[in-house]
Amino acid sequence: MRFNLILKLLITQFTIFFLLLNFSAAFAGQQPTGRVIGKIVDKETGDPIIGANVYLENTVLGAASDLEGNFLIDRVPAGNYTLIVSVIGYAETRINNLKVTPETVARVNVILQPEVLTTDVIEVEAKAVTNTEASLLKIREKSIAISDAISSEAISQAGSGNAAEALKQVTGASVGDDNNIFIRGLGDRYISTWLNGAGLPSSDPYKKTASIDLIPSNLVDNIITLKSFTPDKPGDFSGGAVNIKTKDFPGSFQFYSSFSLAFNPQVTHGSSALGFNVGRMGWLGMNDGTLDLPDVFKDQNLKIPSIAEANQDETGALARQIEDLTRSFNRELGPTAFTPPMNRSFSFSLGNQVRLFSRPLGYLASFTYNRSYSGYSDGVFRRWNQGTQDVMTTVFDLKENKTEQNILWGGLLNFSYKLTDNQVISFNGIYNKNGEIIARTLAGSYPYDMDESRIFQARVLNFKERTLINGQIKGAHYVPQFFNSRIEWVFSAGKTIEDQPDQRYFNSYYDTKKQSFGIKDNTPPSRYFRYLDEDQNQFFIDFKLPFKQWSGLKSTFKTGFYHLQKDRNYSERLFQMVDHQGYNYDGDPNDLLNDENIGIVDTLITTIRGVEYRSYDWGIVVQESTLPGNNYSANQKINASYLMVELPLYDKLRFIGGVRYEVTDMNLVTNDSTAKKGEIKTKDWLHSVNFIFSLMPRMNLRASYSRTLARPTFREIGPFATFDFMGGDVYIGNPDLKRSTIDNIDLRWEWFMNPGEVLALSAFYKNFKDPIERVFNSFEENTWKNVDFARAYGVELEVRKNMSILSKHLKYLLLGANVSFIKSRVNISEEELALIHNLRPDADDHRPFQGQSPYLINLNVTYSNPQMGLSTTVYYNIFGDRLSKVSYGGTPDVYEKSAGLLNISAKLRLFNQLSLKISGKNLLNPTFEKYQEFKGKKYIYNQFKRGRVFSVGLSYSI
């Protein structure tokens, strides 16, 4: 009730605020007028031009460009105009036939040419900027680093539901199971994820990067992936740095809303789907208390009495306490069948730019909600052991039935206020909530641990609630009095929470000979309560000082400071339902914890010499098996400073280089006082050298060399073991890990042929010192170790071309493709190699990086006809077989089989403001398969199909 009340108050306050802003803007003038907005940049460098005079010829209407190069001319009467842009040092530019209509915004971006190149007045015809892919390509062309990008337009066309799905379209990027990101064959530890330029905290105890699947695609304006390092960025990436830019406020009032329905015939049909009770707030992905640990266990002083203590207690108080503690838990241990409704989503956003105290104020508020169902009922789940020299033996062979509900909703609130023409303050806030509800059953043979007459059965009930909160305050200041310098600063505060309450794991069997059910004593029903809370605060400030080099060409000196503070707390408690008499189990897991089976099932009173002695026969009682070492606190501090210069050696060759100094202090302490402390303390000099040679207009040749680093995660240096419910694996950390360093070499040739078109060829090579790899130790546990050597190299090709080159009738058809070929090599540690050679003497002493595909292919065909209001896209993605999991000893590693993804979408404008969109995702519905290969024979490890998803939606915009 308290949450709902606060939510209603916030919505009411924001609604009143936005209505007042728009009411004041609507009645500020007597007649309908329009606006002219745009951005002015330098043709050679792409930098924004500050203080340019922008005015409409033969009027008194005008403005000056701000420190971002943006300008706004407000309250312009309808008509055709000539826009004139002038500033000292650049040729005057005239934009002819600029049409302004009432209640609309005329957008025009202006590229100014330095006077050193021309003294003529440049005249061009006005053209509205509508192609966001084209604008991103222009940013890429002028970028000081090698980068790739995808716009909100392309994200929507490909049918991506969140930022992780959208990243698949980036050259050299792939997304594996559990939304693990790989760029250029490198996984989590070699990738950074940023939101609007600032890092995000992780909500996964095993990952460094943030879970970007938490960010709905409706909130994303673009995703830019940096692939080469410059000293003004944090140095902890080698594969790539993914910067997700959320949507910005519009130039005039805009309102957008959408609603869609989708269904997967494999799930949303029939009643084979599985679920369990998560409470009334389940539709929001939130736990309303239904799954909470019983209140009595939150008392840190509570001690569960032992059976021996209860038997010796003549009052019976301890026995009653054990019974009450056991009965306080949720009785549900197995899933139930249900028929899922259709997937559904809706979103809305509104924004405007108004005047507050006669200064521009921009704002944007957005909200999105999505609930979807996925799963399968005929999955295959197997495990194998190395048996003889010729074949592998079965550990278990199970049929898998799994249903997942995914709820994702979030809001965005942006404000930007121009204090003066030279000073802007901005605020960006985002709140996202994700709930995953997974119900799973497994059934089949388990010859490794059971007689062949017994059918093994397992049930897993898993609820995960993740929260991402991030707030940023930014400032940008142009200081003409101090050599025209520029100061930019950002303070970012972020929090992620991952709450996994009452994860239940229940194993049983059915004996076909005895026709009876049973539960093994060594695998009692277990329930985990896990909670992760991570706070991350950042502050960085950059100073840019322009100057002219020996030939009078514009150059920039840049320096700055960076600070990061990260704090994490992780707790885990394990409870098991132990039966001291042998489980009275009839095959229904939800009937196991009935009152007759819990606690004292019988009381025996024996009289000896007139004295009564009481003894008990015990049934199921709760037992806490929490390990203190599995609970930890960790912190990380990073301080950095840098020096950097952007220097044109002559008009066609630019040098960008410098050095960054990073100091790392990372600590982890568990609740086990005897455990070793995990810590990383380093001081690193990270250097970068970049050259950009302009072969001809819109054609660049880039070369880059840099040194970066990779730090272990908190979990990896934590000296304790944890059990993975879904995979069945044990993970134990290594407090002796060291950070890795990477030398990177990058080359790229790129040709931006026309707006929205590009042809690019890239090559890269990376050399790793002390890389961290996940391996198996001699106890068959997953752990992490530094190995001596690793390398990765590859080539990338990207093309995006309008087909009007073939025929004018194909001017609305755009073909796009990017292809990557990647190889990597990681040396296997001596300890592990010895184990492997015991069974496979001819095995190699190296393997590829986990998650690295030998090839990645993205293809897309887009037809966009603005006159018809029709846009259609066909998108196809495929990757080569990739290493999914390193196996123990001589058992072959697990690989993920190549699978093609085909999505088709079409959007049609029905009326001026109403559009219809239909789409089909995963239309090929390939088999998702993981396998091991030995002696030329394939052994299935995991196999299922995701199913096709069809959707239809309406959107309305003003």
Side-chain angles (χ1 to χ4, degrees):
M1 291 296 292
R2 181 180 177 84
F3 172 82
N4 291 333
L5 179 60
I6 294 173
L7 188 62
K8 289 178 181 178
L9 288 172
L10 287 173
I11 292 173
T12 302
Q13 290 174 2
F14 282 133
T15 302
I16 293 172
F17 177 70
F18 291 132
L19 288 176
L20 287 174
L21 283 176
N22 289 290
F23 181 83
S24 62
F27 289 91
Q30 295 295 320
Q31 63 181 31
T33 58
R35 286 176 169 177
V36 179
I37 67 172
K39 184 167 186 171
I40 305 171
V41 297
D42 185 296
K43 181 179 181 180
E44 297 304 306
T45 66
D47 292 333
I49 295 176
I50 304 170
N53 295 311
V54 187
Y55 62 95
L56 299 175
E57 191 175 40
N58 299 324
T59 75
V60 294
L61 300 174
S65 59
D66 62 18
L67 71 172
E68 297 291 344
N70 297 318
F71 66 89
L72 164 65
I73 304 177
D74 205 1
R75 303 172 189 172
V76 180
N80 288 337
Y81 296 90
T82 295
L83 183 75
I84 300 175
V85 182
S86 64
V87 63
I88 296 175
Y90 292 87
E92 181 179 295
T93 299
R94 298 168 62 89
I95 312 295
N96 299 321
N97 296 323
L98 178 64
K99 186 178 181 180
V100 178
T101 56
E103 304 295 341
T104 61
V105 174
R107 298 176 182 270
V108 55
N109 288 348
V110 184
I111 300 174
L112 294 189
Q113 193 160 295
E115 278 185 338
V116 70
L117 301 178
T118 180
T119 58
D120 298 328
V121 174
I122 299 174
E123 297 196 25
V124 296
E125 294 296 311
K127 184 177 181 181
V129 178
T130 58
N131 192 325
T132 55
E133 282 295 289
S135 63
L136 279 179
L137 287 177
K138 197 65 182 176
I139 294 173
R140 275 180 55 182
E141 180 186 347
K142 301 300 180 182
S143 171
I144 62 174
I146 295 174
S147 64
D148 294 310
I150 179 173
S151 70
S152 59
E153 176 186 43
I155 292 171
S156 175
Q157 289 171 345
S160 304
N162 57 59
E165 290 183 6
L167 197 64
K168 294 178 182 179
Q169 301 173 63
V170 173
T171 305
S174 64
V175 180
D177 53 339
D178 295 329
N179 289 306
N180 292 313
I181 301 170
F182 301 92
I183 298 177
R184 290 181 161 179
L186 303 178
D188 174 71
R189 82 175 68 260
Y190 304 106
I191 296 170
S192 294
T193 50
W194 304 334
L195 183 70
N196 299 314
L200 283 170
S202 173
S203 63
D204 190 320
Y206 293 95
K207 292 182 182 179
K208 164 203 165 190
T209 58
S211 302
I212 63 173
D213 59 308
L214 274 171
I215 303 175
S217 59
N218 286 341
L219 303 183
V220 176
D221 186 66
N222 62 65
I223 301 175
I224 295 179
T225 302
L226 298 179
K227 293 184 175 179
S228 65
F229 167 69
T230 54
D232 57 339
K233 304 297 182 186
D236 59 344
F237 74 89
S238 178
V242 180
N243 185 32
I244 302 166
K245 185 179 183 299
T246 54
K247 290 185 175 178
D248 210 345
F249 59 86
S252 62
F253 177 75
Q254 287 187 6
F255 175 81
Y256 174 86
S257 64
S258 68
F259 176 78
S260 67
L261 293 172
F263 74 99
N264 181 340
Q266 186 168 291
V267 181
T268 52
H269 179 72
S271 58
S272 60
L274 301 176
F276 61 100
N277 180 31
V278 297
R280 294 175 300 169
M281 301 290 283
W283 66 279
L284 286 174
M286 299 170 65
N287 171 28
D288 65 353
T290 300
L291 305 177
D292 280 356
L293 181 68
D295 289 340
V296 65
F297 288 93
K298 297 175 184 178
D299 181 0
Q300 296 182 352
N301 297 319
L302 173 69
K303 180 181 179 300
I304 302 176
S306 67
I307 297 300
E309 291 172 332
N311 284 335
Q312 295 173 5
D313 176 26
E314 297 181 0
T315 67
L318 295 182
R320 289 191 296 273
Q321 183 183 9
I322 293 176
E323 285 188 318
D324 292 340
L325 291 174
T326 305
R327 289 193 173 99
S328 66
F329 282 90
N330 189 315
R331 309 291 180 93
E332 190 176 16
L333 292 178
T336 54
F338 77 106
T339 301
M342 296 181 71
N343 301 344
R344 51 202 180 273
S345 67
F346 71 86
S347 65
F348 75 86
S349 64
L350 62 90
N352 200 355
Q353 188 172 157
V354 298
R355 289 195 172 267
L356 183 65
F357 306 117
S358 301
R359 305 299 304 175
L361 169 69
Y363 66 86
L364 174 72
S366 181
F367 179 82
T368 184
Y369 174 88
N370 180 283
R371 186 177 189 180
S372 61
Y373 299 83
S374 61
Y376 47 88
S377 58
D378 56 354
V380 175
F381 193 71
R382 296 172 181 161
R383 292 294 180 269
W384 306 90
N385 261 345
Q386 184 76 44
T388 67
Q389 293 293 324
D390 297 318
V391 297
M392 295 174 66
T393 57
T394 304
V395 176
F396 56 72
D397 183 357
L398 308 175
K399 180 180 179 180
E400 183 179 23
N401 187 354
K402 179 181 176 182
T403 300
E404 178 175 350
Q405 298 181 50
N406 193 288
I407 299 97
L408 176 61
W409 59 273
L412 173 73
L413 184 63
N414 289 352
F415 287 101
S416 182
Y417 186 64
K418 188 182 294 185
L419 299 171
T420 70
D421 287 341
N422 295 332
Q423 299 186 70
V424 175
I425 300 293
S426 303
F427 168 79
N428 176 287
I430 189 169
Y431 179 94
N432 287 327
K433 178 75 72 172
N434 173 238
E436 292 180 4
I437 305 168
I438 298 176
R440 181 186 186 202
T441 63
L442 299 162
S445 63
Y446 205 140
Y448 179 81
D449 202 36
M450 284 188 176
D451 185 85
E452 63 179 11
S453 65
R454 291 182 173 181
I455 299 174
F456 174 78
Q457 299 171 327
R459 294 110 180 140
V460 179
L461 306 181
N462 182 27
F463 174 85
K464 182 190 297 184
E465 179 183 342
R466 295 184 296 169
T467 306
L468 168 64
I469 307 170
N470 189 264
Q472 297 176 355
I473 301 176
K474 301 181 179 181
H477 312 272
Y478 173 57
V479 190
Q481 300 87 348
F482 187 70
F483 305 104
N484 294 319
S485 61
R486 181 186 177 101
I487 302 172
E488 296 178 352
W489 55 269
V490 176
F491 174 74
S492 173
K495 174 185 278 291
T496 56
I497 299 171
E498 182 174 279
D499 188 13
Q500 292 182 277
D502 207 4
Q503 287 180 286
R504 280 154 278 182
Y505 192 73
F506 176 39
N507 290 341
S508 65
Y509 63 85
Y510 176 71
D511 193 314
T512 56
K513 288 182 178 179
K514 299 179 180 179
Q515 295 187 346
S516 62
F517 295 93
I519 300 172
K520 292 189 66 176
D521 292 336
N522 64 344
T523 57
S526 303
R527 44 214 319 166
Y528 284 83
F529 294 82
R530 291 170 170 163
Y531 187 85
L532 181 148
D533 185 319
E534 181 168 304
D535 293 304
Q536 180 170 292
N537 296 322
Q538 295 173 86
F539 175 78
F540 53 92
I541 185 167
D542 299 313
F543 301 89
K544 293 178 69 174
L545 184 65
F547 66 95
K548 291 186 178 181
Q549 48 85 286
W550 52 87
S551 299
L553 297 176
K554 291 186 175 181
S555 308
T556 304
F557 172 77
K558 192 174 181 180
T559 186
F561 171 77
Y562 172 88
H563 172 75
L564 178 142
Q565 172 76 44
K566 184 186 295 185
D567 296 284
R568 174 186 288 186
N569 291 292
Y570 178 79
S571 63
E572 174 184 289
R573 297 184 72 176
L574 168 61
F575 297 89
Q576 294 179 312
M577 299 296 174
V578 180
D579 196 326
H580 290 264
Q581 198 177 34
Y583 293 95
N584 180 23
Y585 177 54
D586 62 4
D588 182 359
N590 293 323
D591 193 44
L592 179 68
L593 297 181
N594 60 43
D595 288 339
E596 290 75 19
N597 292 338
I598 289 178
I600 300 171
V601 296
D602 194 13
T603 302
L604 300 177
I605 299 177
T606 304
T607 302
I608 301 177
R609 295 178 181 178
V611 179
E612 291 186 351
Y613 295 90
R614 180 176 300 170
S615 62
Y616 305 110
D617 284 339
W618 292 92
I620 300 172
V621 298
V622 64
Q623 172 182 300
E624 182 163 7
S625 303
T626 299
L627 297 175
N630 286 16
N631 297 262
Y632 67 87
S633 297
N635 63 77
Q636 177 179 303
K637 293 180 182 179
I638 298 174
N639 290 305
S641 57
Y642 71 91
L643 297 172
M644 174 178 160
V645 65
E646 299 176 36
L647 181 70
L649 301 180
Y650 67 99
D651 60 346
K652 291 186 177 297
L653 180 63
R654 296 168 63 197
F655 166 79
I656 301 99
V659 64
R660 184 181 184 91
Y661 181 64
E662 288 199 359
V663 179
T664 303
D665 185 2
M666 186 174 177
N667 301 278
L668 182 143
V669 179
T670 74
N671 288 358
D672 182 358
S673 59
T674 64
K676 185 175 180 179
K677 178 182 178 181
E679 61 179 8
I680 301 286
K681 297 183 185 297
T682 60
K683 298 177 181 180
D684 295 283
W685 290 95
L686 307 174
H687 44 267
S688 170
V689 177
N690 300 266
F691 290 96
I692 305 173
F693 183 64
S694 179
L695 297 170
M696 56 184 290
R698 301 190 302 277
M699 183 185 291
N700 297 324
L701 179 64
R702 298 174 180 266
S704 171
Y705 166 74
S706 64
R707 172 165 290 180
T708 55
L709 56 84
R711 303 178 181 93
T713 66
F714 287 133
R715 178 61 192 89
E716 290 167 351
I717 62 173
F720 57 89
T722 53
F723 176 71
D724 175 24
F725 248 105
M726 305 305 293
D729 297 319
V730 176
Y731 294 86
I732 185 167
N734 178 5
D736 296 320
L737 285 176
K738 299 180 291 185
R739 65 96 176 89
S740 311
T741 57
I742 308 100
D743 290 313
N744 310 276
I745 299 175
D746 291 272
L747 295 171
R748 173 174 286 186
W749 170 82
E750 55 191 12
W751 182 21
F752 300 91
M753 299 166 282
N754 293 299
E757 297 181 348
V758 66
L759 178 62
L761 178 64
S762 307
F764 64 90
Y765 177 86
K766 300 178 183 295
N767 191 73
F768 299 78
K769 182 181 179 182
D770 298 322
I772 302 169
E773 280 292 292
R774 193 176 78 185
V775 299
F776 271 87
N777 62 21
S778 56
F779 299 101
E780 299 192 36
E781 298 168 323
N782 287 274
T783 188
W784 294 269
K785 285 191 174 183
N786 292 103
V787 297
D788 295 332
F789 169 82
R791 66 169 176 249
Y793 54 94
V795 294
E796 300 169 337
L797 174 65
E798 179 185 12
V799 60
R800 200 175 302 170
K801 182 63 181 172
N802 188 285
M803 290 295 99
S804 60
I805 191 174
L806 301 178
S807 169
K808 64 179 182 180
H809 302 294
L810 298 177
K811 65 179 180 179
Y812 298 125
L813 187 66
L814 181 71
L815 298 185
N818 62 70
V819 182
S820 303
F821 297 96
I822 304 168
K823 294 196 71 174
S824 63
R825 172 183 173 132
V826 180
N827 285 358
I828 299 173
S829 67
E830 293 183 2
E831 177 187 354
E832 186 182 2
L833 189 62
L835 292 171
I836 294 173
H837 281 170
N838 285 336
L839 293 173
R840 295 163 54 203
D842 58 342
D844 291 332
D845 62 353
H846 63 273
R847 57 173 166 256
F849 272 114
Q850 186 174 352
Q852 179 251 307
S853 296
Y855 65 85
L856 298 165
I857 300 174
N858 286 303
L859 304 173
N860 64 82
V861 180
T862 300
Y863 178 82
S864 183
N865 188 328
Q867 297 176 350
M868 296 175 59
L870 174 65
S871 175
T872 62
T873 298
V874 179
Y875 168 74
Y876 179 75
N877 164 272
I878 192 169
F879 59 88
D881 291 14
R882 57 194 177 197
L883 176 61
S884 175
K885 182 178 178 180
V886 177
S887 294
Y888 169 69
T891 303
D893 294 332
V894 180
Y895 277 79
E896 181 182 348
K897 182 182 176 183
S898 172
L901 174 69
L902 177 65
N903 294 347
I904 298 178
S905 67
K907 187 175 183 180
L908 177 64
R909 186 177 65 245
L910 302 178
F911 306 104
N912 286 337
Q913 296 159 329
L914 185 66
S915 298
L916 171 70
K917 182 177 180 180
I918 57 174
S919 68
K921 297 175 65 175
N922 195 35
L923 294 178
L924 299 178
N925 194 22
T927 299
F928 175 89
E929 182 178 289
K930 293 184 178 181
Y931 65 90
Q932 295 167 283
E933 192 168 331
F934 182 66
K935 301 289 186 180
K937 183 178 179 180
K938 182 185 288 186
Y939 295 81
I940 302 300
Y941 188 87
N942 194 196
Q943 189 181 79
F944 60 87
K945 289 191 173 185
R946 301 182 187 275
R948 301 175 178 89
V949 179
F950 303 93
S951 68
V952 59
L954 289 172
S955 62
Y956 178 81
S957 61
I958 300 176

